[in-house]
Amino acid sequence: MNAEQIDIEETARALVADGKGILAADESSGTMDKRLDAVLDVPPTGEDRRDFRELMFTAEGAGAHISGAILYDETIRQSATDGTPFPELLAHQGIMPGIKVDTGAKPLARSHGEKVTEGLDGLRERIADYRELGARFAKWRAVIAIGDEHPTRYCIDVNAHALARYAALCQEGGLVPIVEPEVLMDGSHTIDRCEEVTDLTLRSVFTALRDQRVALEAILLKPNMVLAGSDCAQQAGAEETASRTLRCLRRVVPAAVPGIVFLSGGQSDEAATAHLQAMNEIGGQPWELSFSYGRALQATPLATWRGQEANVASAQAAYLQRAKCNGAARAGSYSPDMEREPAAVD
Ligand code: 13P
């Protein structure tokens, strides 16, 4: 094993260190503008995107529960008001900078409405560039939708193949790949169907990772939790969600993988935390069970800030509160009472 391989294994383990998880702040400019537009009084500008990220990255003490922050191409090149580049600012807080390297989910040729994630062109060179800018890890998200006729084997396999190509290139270039095959919550499907599709998807992903020589010790898996579709009348409680999700993962994810960092996928802040708590309460798993939340860490800070300088401190407190609750859920020591405790990271 060469020194670089050891280095990325260490990085992967550090990203899932006890009590810590990842902030996914890698929304594309278009997605971020949509989220800003919902809370601002005026149409968002690039400066609003930067201001919100500055607010999140300067929240003092976030490093107690946040190990890494995933950035978008625009963000990794931006700086705080005092001129400190964002990657440097995060590193000072003890938070590793990461980078989203896919270029989005595009219509899959000769399919009816399914998507394949793109971004492999020039990826080797972009990885080298991002390393120079301070990135230590990367993310690529594939989306698998559930519908009457979906997903097809074709869609699952091409997405798995691309995820593995991305992961191999990251490891070659010295970045830890976060492998994110997201089975979407949208729809009225049952929890059984979600479990079945998540199982099929993960099997295809791990076959592709093996075929393409990806070192499992130096990746993190970022899956969805096993949940009923958001329009399904029958929703599971936290215990069932936890046991179904773990059953599915235990059948497919090799013990060599150091950590599983869930996405929140549209769950409420508190549900995302309660589900992580319930899984860690079960305990005894071969991998660390952590979070890599976007909305479940940022939605409340964003709605609190609303573009007003006067709200920066309370928005940061809202972020620290979510980070603290999710940090506790990592150890299985979260309780809903923590939601009402003063918002400060200890
Ligand atoms: P959510 O937690 O909002 O699903 O975002 C996580 C993410 O990184 C999606 O790619």
Side-chain angles (χ1 to χ4, degrees):
M1 208 170 6
N2 61 30
E4 194 120 282
Q5 170 89 47
I6 293 167
D7 186 49
I8 55 173
E9 286 183 21
E10 272 171 18
T11 301
R13 285 197 300 270
L15 285 167
V16 289
D18 284 352
K20 295 188 186 186
I22 296 170
L23 165 69
D26 61 322
E27 296 85 357
S28 65
S29 302
T31 300
M32 195 63 212
D33 282 351
K34 272 189 223 143
R35 302 217 169 130
L36 284 162
D37 204 31
V39 299
L40 300 182
D41 297 330
V42 289
T45 64
E47 200 48 29
D48 295 311
R49 293 195 294 272
R50 201 206 60 81
D51 288 351
F52 181 65
R53 263 69 189 245
E54 177 163 356
L55 171 171
M56 296 291 288
F57 302 159
T58 54
E60 203 63 50
H65 299 298
I66 301 295
S67 55
I70 316 174
L71 310 178
Y72 182 58
D73 181 77
E74 174 186 74
T75 322
I76 200 170
R77 302 171 194 280
Q78 288 176 325
S79 301
T81 312
D82 71 1
T84 312
F86 279 154
E88 200 178 310
L89 185 66
L90 287 163
H92 283 151
Q93 294 253 45
I95 297 173
M96 283 189 265
I99 182 75
K100 185 230 298 283
V101 300
D102 69 66
T103 55
K106 307 285 162 54
L108 175 62
R110 300 185 67 76
S111 153
H112 298 288
E114 293 186 293
K115 292 192 168 159
V116 62
T117 299
E118 295 189 347
L120 290 167
D121 288 352
L123 184 54
R124 177 177 275 125
E125 293 73 22
R126 288 194 292 126
I127 286 170
D129 188 26
Y130 289 136
R131 276 265 314 196
E132 285 292 306
L133 288 165
R136 306 280 307 279
F137 67 103
K139 175 189 124 172
W140 177 292
R141 171 177 177 254
V143 288
I144 306 293
I146 299 181
D148 289 342
E149 320 250 307
H150 297 153
T152 60
R153 184 86 231 180
Y154 165 41
C155 173
I156 290 175
D157 288 348
V158 291
N159 274 294
H161 191 266
L163 272 167
R165 283 198 62 198
Y166 139 80
L169 280 163
C170 281
Q171 291 189 339
E172 180 195 87
L175 296 181
V176 172
I178 293 186
V179 173
E180 181 178 2
E182 176 175 3
V183 177
L184 297 173
M185 276 173 71
D186 306 326
S188 56
H189 54 269
T190 61
I191 192 168
D192 285 335
R193 179 86 175 117
C194 176
E195 188 172 347
E196 177 191 21
V197 172
T198 303
D199 175 273
L200 280 174
T201 302
L202 292 175
R203 283 180 200 275
S204 178
V205 167
F206 280 96
T207 300
L209 291 172
R210 185 199 59 213
D211 288 351
Q212 297 187 45
R213 306 179 180 178
V214 173
L216 296 183
E217 293 78 3
I219 70 162
L220 294 175
L221 177 70
K222 178 164 172 170
N224 53 285
M225 296 179 195
V226 172
L227 302 165
S230 43
D231 297 330
C232 177
Q234 194 113 30
Q235 293 290 326
E239 274 173 34
E240 186 181 356
T241 299
S243 61
R244 293 252 201 173
T245 304
L246 289 177
R247 176 169 70 184
C248 183
L249 294 168
R250 286 179 67 88
R251 286 175 176 167
V252 190
V253 184
V257 174
I260 295 179
V261 293
F262 292 98
L263 57 93
S264 59
Q267 303 177 63
S268 71
D269 294 359
E270 293 190 22
T273 307
H275 290 156
L276 182 63
Q277 160 69 20
M279 283 187 268
N280 277 307
E281 233 175 282
I282 293 170
Q285 307 307 323
W287 349 265
E288 296 293 329
L289 293 171
S290 185
F291 59 92
S292 174
Y293 294 158
R295 282 161 286 182
L297 282 171
Q298 298 180 108
T300 306
L302 188 58
T304 305
W305 176 55
R306 297 196 336 271
Q308 305 295 316
E309 182 60 33
N311 298 334
V312 165
S314 43
Q316 288 180 327
Y319 166 45
L320 295 175
Q321 170 72 352
R322 295 288 6 116
K324 181 178 176 175
C325 288
N326 286 304
R330 287 245 20 226
S333 61
Y334 163 80
S335 93
D337 294 343
M338 284 180 70
E339 300 291 349
R340 286 170 287 283
E341 287 169 9
V345 163
D346 43 34

